[in-house]
Amino acid sequence: MNSKPGIIIISAPSGTGKSSVIEKIIEDPELRLSFSISATNRLPRGEEKDGQHYFFLTDEQFQEAILQDQFVEYVEVYPGRYYGTLKRELQRIHGEGYNLLLDIDVEGALVVKEKYPSDTLAIFLAPPSLETLRERLIKRATDSPDVIEERLKRAGYELKFAPQFDYTVVNDDLIICSDTVRSLVKQFLKNREQ
């Protein structure tokens, strides 16, 4: 049996339903998944809490963590806006005996996959179309029209990375998409035990 935990990455453009899929699969005790909390230098939104939703760092703290090689991966998603996975999160989850679940940007996902190729399953969730994604972002009503356009532009960019992932799953039905992702994760973890 493989003693190292698996690393499960789920990446998707904003508004694709990634958080909903993650909520569905993390409930499955068979998968033994623990969510990795990302670090960011953006300010908390709404009810977000430090150490629960993100590790909220100042610009200076984030840059210092980069200089001290504290990240497995980090990326500047938008100008001046960084997100990253701290090495201590991998160590914490590994120490607890869980498989690591990462919800990270496409570029960060590929960095992790390159660093840990045999330990990583990278799944890209895609919207049925950019028009559907636009409708979802408008319906979500959390962003201004300018921010929605920026997210759609970013989504077009991110979709180009999908072929570099192990699997691409289109989220046009949350239940079917979640079941597909759960099956892919189960198979990956089963193969690691052999």
Side-chain angles (χ1 to χ4, degrees):
M1 185 166 162
N2 199 324
S3 63
K4 282 178 80 177
I7 301 172
I8 313 303
I9 300 171
I10 299 181
S11 291
S14 181
T16 304
K18 177 176 54 175
S19 297
S20 299
V21 170
I22 286 171
E23 283 174 21
K24 296 263 185 226
I25 69 164
I26 205 163
E27 296 170 352
D28 189 334
E30 228 184 295
L31 302 180
R32 294 194 48 78
L33 295 173
S34 183
F35 191 70
S36 172
I37 300 167
S38 294
T40 183
N41 67 333
R42 75 162 171 77
L43 294 173
R45 293 183 196 136
E47 300 293 313
E48 291 179 333
K49 292 182 177 44
D50 184 55
Q52 183 180 344
H53 298 95
Y54 285 94
F55 294 112
F56 293 102
L57 308 178
T58 64
D59 293 345
E60 295 77 21
Q61 288 170 326
F62 206 101
Q63 292 303 320
E64 186 61 30
I66 291 170
L67 291 173
Q68 292 182 10
D69 193 31
Q70 293 178 12
F71 288 103
V72 174
E73 60 78 32
Y74 68 90
V75 68
E76 186 177 17
V77 178
Y78 298 102
R81 187 62 58 234
Y82 290 88
Y83 291 84
T85 304
L86 292 162
K87 290 178 179 177
R88 69 176 191 232
E89 269 296 276
L90 269 68
Q91 293 160 354
R92 175 185 68 81
I93 292 166
H94 185 186
E96 293 171 357
Y98 284 91
N99 295 300
L100 180 71
L101 178 60
L102 291 172
D103 163 3
I104 56 177
D105 174 85
V106 291
E107 294 166 71
L110 297 175
V111 168
V112 173
K113 184 143 182 63
E114 188 177 310
K115 284 185 179 179
Y116 308 101
S118 61
D119 297 325
T120 303
L121 172 66
I123 299 171
F124 185 89
L125 297 184
S129 68
L130 286 176
E131 194 48 48
T132 301
L133 185 59
R134 178 189 306 277
E135 291 165 13
R136 288 178 184 174
L137 289 169
I138 291 169
K139 189 176 174 184
R140 192 163 79 172
T142 57
D143 298 314
S144 69
D146 287 349
V147 171
I148 288 172
E149 288 310 308
E150 183 66 33
R151 291 192 187 284
L152 289 168
K153 185 177 166 190
R154 176 80 188 170
Y157 169 75
E158 290 172 330
L159 284 163
K160 294 176 185 170
F161 289 89
Q164 297 177 56
F165 281 69
D166 297 311
Y167 297 96
T168 297
V169 180
V170 175
N171 188 9
D172 52 1
D173 179 289
L174 179 60
I175 303 300
I176 292 170
C177 179
S178 300
D179 287 346
T180 302
V181 170
R182 184 183 291 111
S183 295
L184 292 171
V185 172
K186 273 187 181 165
Q187 189 59 53
F188 171 74
L189 295 175
K190 184 179 172 187
N191 290 346
R192 286 175 56 74
E193 290 176 2
Q194 295 171 355

